[in-house]
Amino acid sequence: DPKIIQKPKYLVAVTGSEKILICEQYLGHNAMYWYRQSAKKPLEFMFSYSYQKLMDNQTASSRFQPQSSKKNHLDLQITALKPDDSATYFCASSQEDRGLEQYFGPGTRLTVL
Amino acid sequence: GEQVEQLPSILRVQEGSSASINCSYEDSASNYFPWYKQEPGENPKLIIDIRSNMERKQIQELIVLLDKKAKRFSLHITDTQPGDSAMYFCAASGSTNAYKVIFGKGTHLHVLP
């Protein structure tokens, strides 16, 4: 059974629209993260949350908003989508703070037309 | 600085030989150094890690070396097999001001039969 679930696996959106990427982890971890991977910037850190509290934000654009409704959920809302947002978005989680031993979800591949 | 430099970007080795990937980091506060393997279309998977209280760690054919003074660490894969062909990412974390892992840009390892 997958321990980190990301939905959807593939997502196609039009420029200017808004989408939410879902992430749920069942590893009992207290920290969750979002990363973006594209041909231009492999594995780019975006956000980290610990106990549902934002710990670090390395995303310059406010169009990217993480949402944590539960300890094991960290969704990513993206508004006003642009073609440059096309990438694979990985959610990850870890038990210990400070990013130790992070485990990645299967990813959501987003294509913005 | 929080950059992690990784070299080489592409590495071709003959099956049965050793492969070495080198990384350097800037933040002297970094104390945790994981290595991830990513196969095409898959998520990154943690394969080995080392903490700053160690200089060497080995798991089967994987050896990680850490030189804290030089702020360098490396992955050595002995007796490479075709299944070792993949992207490998080094990373550093543990900086006192963040919960984030900084990744290198990756090394594409090709093990030639």
Side-chain angles (χ1 to χ4, degrees), chain A residues 88-112:
Chain A
T88 299
Y89 290 81
F90 288 104
C91 172
S93 68
S94 68
Q95 176 61 43
E96 298 186 47
D97 293 339
R98 302 189 180 281
L100 300 185
E101 295 184 25
Q102 291 187 17
Y103 295 90
F104 283 74
T108 292
R109 183 173 293 183
L110 172 66
T111 301
V112 183

Side-chain angles (χ1 to χ4, degrees), chain B residues 55-68:
Chain B
E55 295 180 348
R56 184 182 191 278
K57 183 174 180 179
Q58 180 167 2
I59 298 177
Q60 297 181 331
E61 78 281 6
L62 303 177
I63 300 170
V64 174
L65 303 176
L66 173 62
D67 182 341
K68 287 180 291 183

Side-chain angles (χ1 to χ4, degrees), chain B residues 3-6 22-26 70-73 90:
Chain B
Q3 297 294 319
V4 174
E5 298 292 331
Q6 181 172 350
N22 299 294
C23 292
S24 61
Y25 59 98
E26 297 181 349
K71 291 191 282 188
R72 293 178 183 171
F73 58 113
C90 65

Side-chain angles (χ1 to χ4, degrees), chain A residues 54-74:
Chain A
L54 178 66
M55 302 308 297
D56 203 354
N57 177 357
Q58 294 296 312
T59 303
S61 173
S62 60
R63 297 187 297 108
F64 295 85
Q65 291 292 329
Q67 300 172 344
S68 181
S69 59
K70 299 179 184 179
K71 176 185 171 184
N72 67 327
H73 284 229
L74 186 63

